[in-house]
Amino acid sequence: MNIAIDGPAGAGKSTIARLAAKKLGFLYVDTGAMYRAIALYLLWNDTDIDNEEELHKALDRININIVYDKGVQHVFLNFQDVSAEIRSEKVSIMASKSSALQPVRDKLLDIQKSIAAANDVIMDGRDIGTNILPNAELKIYLDASTEVRAKRRFDEMKNKGENPDIESIKANIIARDEQDMNRKIAPLKKAEDAVHIDSSYMSIDQVVERIVTLAGEAAKKAEEN
């Protein structure tokens, strides 16, 4: 069984997907972490992403693995654990730009589809239900207001000892939404058959329970068919 969770940055997709996968006994595939790892490599190497030849050469040098150790996700970029580095704002911005490029998407598409074909998975991203797993038994569009998403990111950065500016965070979220929704390749949008969940005023546990319930209903429907 495949569950696709799409939505804008800061809606809580990764946290929700990870917890729901644990409850359901599914494999959680963090596609965002994969794209962020690529973005980090491109930043580290000052890659000109508008130069197709340079971009292809960079992608050929990238190896990405996601490993779970005692339930904790670790993202490895060329065998180096970059789990912390990929969560910076700079990487987020680059990931939004680079993930819109076809060569970058091709790098990960086959990997993601093969994982989903062999496992019960929850996969989250921007175009999972519309592009990567169009036949998923359950599709979720997880959303939250701009203000709520900015506050969540602000609190996350504060807890890391950083000194963020909430207005700058809000501006970045608005800009990223605009970029993600209007890019030519695989733009962020709600699949026609996706269930819309607004998490603005829901707790994490409430959203997880909602998805677990929907998964049970989808599984029962699949059996009947």
Side-chain angles (χ1 to χ4, degrees):
M1 181 176 179
N2 294 168
I3 299 176
I5 301 181
D6 292 308
K13 298 186 301 297
S14 296
T15 299
I16 299 300
R18 188 180 296 111
L19 292 172
K22 187 175 182 180
K23 280 213 165 194
L24 291 165
F26 282 25
L27 177 67
Y28 168 53
V29 182
D30 187 350
T31 63
M34 293 178 173
Y35 282 111
R36 283 169 176 267
I38 288 178
L40 180 63
Y41 184 89
L42 298 176
L43 286 170
W44 276 354
N45 292 274
D46 295 320
T47 306
D48 179 2
I49 63 174
D50 294 321
N51 184 319
E52 193 166 338
E53 183 179 353
E54 189 174 333
L55 179 61
H56 275 289
K57 285 182 179 178
L59 293 174
D60 287 341
R61 295 192 293 265
I62 294 175
N63 179 280
I64 298 170
N65 286 302
I66 295 180
V67 177
Y68 286 88
D69 182 19
K70 297 177 181 177
V72 178
Q73 175 183 279
H74 295 271
V75 181
F76 287 85
L77 170 60
N78 293 346
F79 311 104
Q80 178 181 343
D81 191 339
V82 294
S83 305
E85 288 90 335
I86 63 172
R87 298 300 169 186
S88 74
E89 279 298 300
K90 190 175 287 188
V91 170
S92 293
I93 294 168
M94 172 57 87
S96 183
K97 295 177 181 176
S98 59
S99 66
L101 302 174
Q102 194 64 56
V104 175
R105 304 198 71 79
D106 290 343
K107 173 82 177 179
L108 295 177
L109 182 62
D110 289 341
I111 297 173
Q112 293 162 354
K113 284 195 170 187
S114 63
I115 292 172
N119 300 275
D120 292 323
V121 303
I122 292 184
M123 195 178 295
D124 72 298
R126 299 290 187 277
D127 66 332
I128 308 302
T130 56
N131 186 45
I132 297 175
L133 302 178
N135 297 315
E137 287 82 355
L138 175 61
K139 300 175 187 178
I140 303 290
Y141 189 84
L142 186 62
D143 203 358
S145 69
T146 303
E147 289 74 19
V148 167
R149 288 186 284 142
K151 182 64 166 58
R152 288 173 181 170
R153 181 60 177 153
F154 176 85
D155 290 342
E156 180 184 344
M157 295 173 74
K158 287 285 284 186
N159 289 336
K160 290 179 180 178
E162 300 176 37
N163 188 29
D165 174 67
I166 195 163
E167 290 303 319
S168 295
I169 294 172
K170 186 176 176 180
N172 284 338
I173 286 175
I174 292 171
R176 184 165 183 184
D177 284 352
E178 178 72 16
Q179 189 172 54
D180 288 346
M181 291 176 180
N182 292 290
R183 65 193 187 191
K184 292 182 179 179
I185 301 172
L188 167 65
K189 62 180 179 180
K190 176 180 174 290
E192 289 184 6
D193 54 346
V195 178
H196 186 276
I197 299 178
D198 188 331
S199 68
S200 298
Y201 301 104
M202 296 174 71
S203 68
I204 290 173
D205 288 343
Q206 286 174 327
V207 179
V208 171
E209 286 305 320
R210 175 70 174 138
I211 291 174
V212 169
T213 298
L214 289 168
E217 293 172 356
K220 185 177 179 180
K221 185 177 180 181
E223 286 177 4
E224 292 172 350
N225 294 334

